[in-house]
Amino acid sequence: MRADPCHDSRFTGELAALLATKQSSDDEAAREALFAALSRLERQALIAGAADSTLGKIAEARFLVGILRDSMRPSRIAPLRSLLRLAAEPRRLAEADPV
């Protein structure tokens, strides 16, 4: 048995409020917090018996925020000088090796 449509409206409103506060964020902690909040909201909606369309909206938002969260993780990038030095190494070795 599904919950009252008021519950669906409440969950949809909470989803909109969560996403509105974090339209764009360079802060890793904020992205993690948004993902956690969407996960909690999805569990609450599931427990309350929200409509499938409402659950789908929340799940889709959580999924997309998860992709953004994972893609925005900082990764180490080698400095350009190091890359150029590495690229030059095989040439130097080839020039020094008499065939």
Side-chain angles (χ1 to χ4, degrees):
M1 176 125 226
R2 289 287 175 196
D4 185 354
C6 294
H7 287 288
D8 289 339
S9 177
R10 182 188 70 137
F11 292 124
T12 303
E14 285 185 43
L15 173 63
L18 282 171
L19 295 177
T21 61
K22 304 286 190 247
Q23 280 297 343
S24 64
S25 177
D26 291 338
D27 181 16
E28 183 179 355
R31 290 191 305 272
E32 292 287 340
L34 178 57
F35 184 82
L38 288 169
S39 295
R40 280 191 302 276
L41 181 62
E42 187 176 18
R43 279 192 304 277
Q44 291 171 355
L46 187 60
I47 290 168
D52 290 339
S53 61
T54 302
L55 290 170
K57 288 177 190 176
I58 297 169
E60 183 179 6
R62 182 188 49 77
F63 175 74
L64 294 173
V65 167
I67 290 173
L68 178 64
R69 177 196 63 175
D70 292 342
S71 69
M72 299 285 291
R73 286 198 176 137
S75 60
R76 291 192 47 117
I77 299 174
L80 181 57
R81 285 185 183 170
S82 298
L83 293 174
L84 293 174
R85 210 171 317 141
L86 285 173
E89 282 298 316
R91 279 183 269 161
R92 276 193 241 142
L93 291 174
E95 291 169 359
D97 186 26
V99 177

